[in-house]
Amino acid sequence: MIRTVILVVVTLVSLLITQAALADTGLPAVTVIPNADGTQSYSITLQILALMTALGFIPAILIMMTSFTRIVIVLSILRQAMGLQQAPSNQVIIGLALFLSLFIMTPVLEKINQNALQPYINEQIDAMQALNLAQAPIREFMLSQTRDKDIKSFLDIANRQDVKSPEDAPMTVLIPAFITSELKTAFQIGFMLFIPFLVIDLVVASVLMAMGMMMLSPMIVSLPFKLMLFVLVDGWSLVMGTLANSFGL
């Protein structure tokens, strides 16, 4: 809430300063210019205001429209399966998820930069055209990771009978369907990672019970064996490789 208030205040102040500067030069602060093809071009003031407002949605975009969700859930499940409460810490897990997401999303970001950002910077297209061009690589990425069944479910919920194929689904349907598919995939990978550690827990608990050492916690005894197994099989490299390959890299 505090960040939102600060962002709104900064935006309003920037708008007022821009209006005052343009007023001194005799230029209108807010203009909408119709183009020959029927579209509209907005003044730089409106574009800056829209950009400042969009900055508040960056965390949601990062979480809901990239590979971040799947990665952070799998890493959290892995830590729980190993029986470690604070190692690696939440900051380390978030950092790993961020940089691995950047690695996975690099081809998408390069397409956005080439098709939308650079033409907009060079004033070859306007802001709305750049926004539409930037959506295409993100839609392609999300469609490749989203199950058709999930898209169909949300289309049925929204009663969108006019959409005939997943490629024509609007963003309001594609984003929740993408998140649903990501959650399912993340839990499937987490389940596969959980099984080896669960077997170690069962074996250690059975041995301790057979030895009559029922007062000793199996978690304390099994933890070194879990760490040894994870290190011997080069677990971090395997987990990172599996997560990257799960996105088709």
Side-chain angles (χ1 to χ4, degrees), residues 9-242:
V9 172
V10 172
T11 304
L12 292 176
V13 172
S14 301
L15 181 59
L16 291 175
I17 294 174
T18 306
Q19 287 178 337
L22 292 176
D24 294 338
T25 59
L27 296 177
V30 178
T31 57
V32 179
I33 303 173
N35 298 323
D37 56 357
T39 60
Q40 293 178 333
S41 298
Y42 300 94
S43 64
I44 189 63
T45 305
L46 288 178
Q47 295 181 24
I48 293 175
L49 179 61
L51 178 61
M52 295 294 291
T53 305
L55 291 177
F57 295 93
I58 289 180
I61 294 174
L62 174 64
I63 295 174
M64 299 300 174
M65 300 174 64
T66 66
S67 58
F68 180 84
T69 300
R70 182 189 305 185
I71 297 170
V72 75
I73 290 178
V74 170
L75 294 179
S76 299
I77 294 176
L78 175 63
R79 182 178 65 178
Q80 185 69 27
M82 295 178 65
L84 301 171
Q85 301 301 323
Q86 297 297 331
S89 63
N90 292 331
Q91 292 84 351
V92 174
I93 289 180
I94 296 298
L96 285 173
L98 282 173
F99 282 101
L100 189 57
S101 298
L102 179 62
F103 171 76
I104 294 172
M105 299 298 296
T106 295
V108 178
L109 297 177
E110 289 178 349
K111 290 181 181 179
I112 294 176
N113 179 63
Q114 180 180 358
N115 299 335
L117 183 58
Q118 291 301 322
Y120 176 71
I121 293 176
N122 297 328
E123 298 182 355
Q124 298 175 356
I125 57 177
D126 57 27
M128 295 304 298
Q129 291 175 331
L131 181 61
N132 293 330
L133 292 174
Q135 286 185 8
I138 298 178
R139 284 181 58 90
E140 182 181 355
F141 170 78
M142 289 194 294
L143 283 170
S144 65
Q145 304 300 323
T146 306
R147 296 173 175 83
D148 293 342
K149 180 180 66 175
D150 294 328
I151 297 179
K152 185 178 183 303
S153 298
F154 281 95
L155 286 175
D156 294 339
I157 294 173
N159 196 22
R160 293 294 304 269
Q161 304 299 330
D162 56 319
V163 180
K164 302 302 181 182
S165 63
E167 290 74 13
D168 299 330
M171 294 294 287
T172 54
V173 172
L174 181 58
I175 292 176
F178 171 74
I179 291 298
T180 303
S181 294
E182 286 294 283
L183 291 174
K184 182 177 180 179
T185 304
F187 278 95
Q188 288 176 341
I189 298 175
F191 172 77
M192 298 302 296
L193 291 175
F194 216 107
I195 291 178
F197 301 107
L198 179 60
V199 172
I200 294 177
D201 285 334
L202 292 175
V203 171
V204 171
S206 300
V207 172
L208 291 178
M209 184 173 295
M211 296 174 62
M213 303 174 64
M214 291 177 291
M215 299 300 295
L216 182 61
S217 175
M219 295 295 296
I220 298 177
V221 180
S222 63
L223 180 57
F225 293 99
K226 292 179 181 179
L227 295 176
M228 180 181 64
L229 174 65
F230 195 71
V231 171
L232 288 177
V233 300
D234 197 10
W236 286 114
S237 178
L238 291 176
V239 170
M240 297 302 176
T242 300

